[in-house]
Amino acid sequence: MANNGPYAQKAEGVYGGNAGKDNIMDMHKYIDEHRDAMVSDLKTLLRIPSVEGEPQPGAPFGSEVRRALDTALEMCRKLGLHAVNVDGYAGYAEIPGCTGEQIGVLTHLDVVPCGKGWSYPPFDAYEKNGVVWARGVCDDKGPLVASVYALAAYAQSGAQPKKNIRLIFGCNEESGWGCIDYYSAHVGLPEVGFSPDADYPIINTEKGIYQCTLSRDINCGSYEVSIHGGDRPNVVAPEAKAVIKGNTDKLAFALLEYDCHSNGISYTVQKDTVTITSKGVPAHASTPQEGKNAVWPLLELISRLPMDGELPAAAKEIYEKLCRTTDGSGIGLALCDEVSGALTDNLGIIELENGRLSLTVDIRFPVTFSDKTVREGLLSAFPGYALSEGHVQQPHHTPKEHYLVQALSRVYERRTGQEAHCIAIGGGTYARALKTGVAFGVNRPGAPEYAHNTDERMSMDELMEDVHMFADVYKELAD
């Protein structure tokens, strides 16, 4: 139950609460009239490279994330909402003076690293034919701005809500959820709410998340080897590189024999050093089959190199267990259930430096299984490796009969004319932080998934539709 404590707003009159019918501005007209302002505010946020950085005083997730939080809260205040900074960890906004049961709308301001190969600079917020290209426009700054303008429109309509719609802005959703943990401990989370950080119609089931690092020492024999691939466990690695120093003549035939071109591999040889670079296609770890993991062909090639030491055999083992499929079958975890579907695995990061090899994996497991099952499966698949747990979240499910799901269904069907069925995903949204929560929007059914990908982009016409949708949802839930 939410408990605002020192972060509670001072009592004020409900925004527009005394307005007569003649003075009430239709909220949908308000939204249409504020399109240009909304797009401008969105671009301002998108130009802030809010990838998590080094902690600083008042900025636990880095200065750029803090700058994004400050910018979002100022946007809320400009639109007449009450906005609060929760010690740089998170923020929230709501209609001034609004009381009653809270309904949470949870979004986030941090973004994943950009990678390479963008058509336009990822933090320029370039717009072409009504489409904005930028890191974070889908995940999750676009939906965040839509949720804010929808609440401003609802407030301007003269609404006298019986429930309090609270917009909660997280700051490290992509890398640990410390923001939500802090908010929960110091403010208190609502029991009910939704997160527009995935797909339409309604995601009422989210698989469990298990991230960990497996590590061991590797004897590379007469060679000196370093490997680096991937940046985040929840992203399919877009690039991987190996630097091998030693007798390169001995490796020449295996390098020539491997089909480098088809596998996105290139290499250079300079005296006693071979540098191998692998290029892939990023994707979200919940749908690893939609990307191309750059680590996979790199390990396959290394496993074929005639080097002494343990590395070729270790590379072959990892390749066989984590790089031939993404369904867990290689590690004995081909788990599946009717509610949420099959397990997925992603080898997100690989590091070899000074003889220490580490593998960071991201596994999304079905709701009827436990993280203990996943841990035991990994330890069994990789004997001799030490396992260090990282981000772990239990599965989440909200019954489709709940009033939240029913309200979202009614609004979705009215606005789209399509059936609002419930679906399960491998992704993890803030919805699972709530006792009763779902993900609602904003990716359309059947549309390409741009989140976490190169050339992330969003149609501003579709974002406007989201604003109208959210305003209707607020009215449906709070009136």
Side-chain angles (χ1 to χ4, degrees):
M1 182 69 69
N3 177 10
N4 298 333
Y7 302 96
Q9 62 169 300
K10 295 179 181 179
E12 303 175 42
V14 174
Y15 200 116
N18 296 318
K21 288 185 179 180
D22 293 340
N23 297 323
I24 294 176
M25 178 183 290
D26 177 79
M27 65 182 182
H28 293 293
K29 181 180 179 182
Y30 176 96
I31 292 167
D32 291 334
E33 290 177 345
H34 285 75
R35 177 185 175 123
D36 290 347
M38 182 194 72
V39 173
S40 177
D41 282 341
L42 172 60
K43 289 181 177 179
T44 297
L45 266 181
L46 292 171
R47 291 181 180 123
I48 301 172
S50 51
V51 178
E52 182 174 352
E54 290 298 316
Q56 297 181 19
F61 308 115
S63 60
E64 295 293 5
V65 176
R66 174 58 192 265
R67 185 156 68 99
L69 176 61
D70 290 342
T71 301
L73 294 176
E74 184 56 35
M75 172 182 63
C76 294
R77 296 183 187 111
K78 178 184 68 176
L79 293 170
L81 301 175
H82 174 72
V84 177
N85 179 348
V86 184
D87 300 334
Y89 282 85
Y92 70 83
E94 59 197 4
I95 298 173
C98 195
T99 58
E101 177 192 352
Q102 284 184 17
I103 303 292
V105 182
L106 286 69
T107 54
H108 64 92
L109 289 153
D110 60 311
V111 300
V112 295
C114 299
K116 299 178 181 178
W118 284 68
S119 300
Y120 308 101
F123 293 115
D124 276 10
Y126 178 78
E127 184 172 359
K128 180 180 179 181
N129 299 326
V131 175
V132 172
W133 303 57
R135 171 58 85 222
V137 67
C138 301
D139 185 15
D140 194 32
K141 292 177 181 178
L144 182 150
V145 171
S147 72
V148 170
Y149 269 82
L151 189 59
Y154 177 56
Q156 287 280 4
S157 73
Q160 299 188 51
K162 298 180 179 66
K163 296 181 180 180
N164 180 21
I165 304 295
R166 174 170 285 191
L167 312 180
I168 300 172
F169 312 132
C171 289
N172 84 319
E173 191 270 353
E174 300 290 3
S175 53
W177 287 35
C179 52
I180 288 298
D181 292 341
Y182 190 92
Y183 185 97
S184 179
H186 292 80
V187 181
L189 287 165
E191 290 193 358
V192 177
F194 70 93
S195 178
D197 189 20
D199 303 329
Y200 290 122
I202 299 166
I203 295 169
N204 70 327
T205 302
E206 297 184 11
K207 295 176 185 176
I209 300 174
Y210 189 86
Q211 294 177 356
C212 72
T213 298
L214 297 155
S215 58
R216 58 164 286 195
D217 291 330
I218 289 286
N219 181 349
C220 294
S222 61
Y223 289 87
E224 181 182 334
V225 184
S226 66
I227 299 174
H228 171 75
D231 294 306
R232 294 285 181 93
N234 63 343
V235 179
V236 173
E239 186 172 351
K241 180 181 288 188
V243 178
I244 303 171
K245 296 182 179 181
N247 184 351
T248 58
D249 292 340
K250 188 177 179 182
L251 312 181
F253 181 75
L255 288 168
L256 289 170
E257 188 178 47
Y258 187 74
D259 187 357
C260 291
H261 178 74
S262 297
N263 288 291
I265 292 277
S266 62
Y267 64 89
T268 60
V269 181
Q270 292 184 337
K271 295 183 179 179
D272 64 345
T273 302
V274 177
T275 302
I276 306 170
T277 302
S278 176
K279 299 287 187 179
V281 178
H284 196 284
S286 64
T287 53
Q289 70 280 1
E290 295 180 3
K292 181 181 178 182
N293 197 320
V295 174
W296 292 16
L298 180 65
L299 287 175
E300 183 183 36
L301 174 54
I302 290 173
S303 73
R304 299 182 183 186
L305 297 179
M307 297 188 292
D308 57 344
E310 301 173 313
L311 183 57
K316 182 177 181 180
E317 178 187 34
I318 299 164
Y319 178 77
E320 293 291 336
K321 293 180 177 180
L322 286 173
C323 303
R324 296 182 67 88
T325 67
T326 59
D327 64 359
S329 56
I331 50 177
L333 288 172
L335 310 177
C336 186
D337 65 27
E338 187 174 348
V339 176
S340 55
L343 176 145
T344 60
D345 63 58
N346 177 56
L347 174 53
I349 303 172
I350 184 170
E351 297 276 358
L352 173 58
E353 203 67 49
N354 299 320
R356 187 68 177 177
L357 174 66
S358 65
L359 316 169
T360 303
V361 297
D362 181 306
I363 292 177
R364 310 297 168 110
F365 59 94
V367 299
T368 55
F369 295 88
S370 70
D371 58 302
K372 181 181 178 181
T373 300
V374 175
R375 177 185 172 88
E376 290 175 349
L378 285 167
L379 288 171
S380 177
F382 290 98
Y385 283 76
L387 187 151
S388 174
E389 287 189 346
H391 184 54
V392 178
Q393 291 184 335
Q394 300 307 313
H396 177 76
H397 177 71
T398 294
K400 63 182 179 179
E401 296 81 14
H402 192 275
Y403 81 81
L404 171 69
V405 178
Q406 293 300 307
L408 294 173
S409 297
R410 288 191 296 270
V411 172
Y412 181 83
E413 291 177 355
R414 284 201 304 264
R415 293 209 63 87
T416 68
Q418 301 174 2
E419 179 187 359
H421 59 276
C422 289
I423 53 180
I425 64 167
T429 74
Y430 281 150
R432 70 171 69 219
L434 306 176
K435 180 179 179 180
T436 303
V438 300
F440 182 65
V442 296
N443 205 45
R444 274 64 179 167
E449 177 58 75
Y450 294 121
H452 290 207
N453 290 342
T454 302
D455 283 342
E456 183 177 349
R457 56 195 183 268
M458 175 179 278
S459 160
M460 293 300 96
D461 285 344
E462 290 189 353
L463 188 63
M464 284 294 291
E465 293 171 7
D466 296 327
V467 185
H468 288 289
M469 180 87 76
F470 296 163
D472 280 352
V473 166
Y474 298 160
K475 183 174 177 62
E476 187 81 14
L477 289 170
D479 272 7

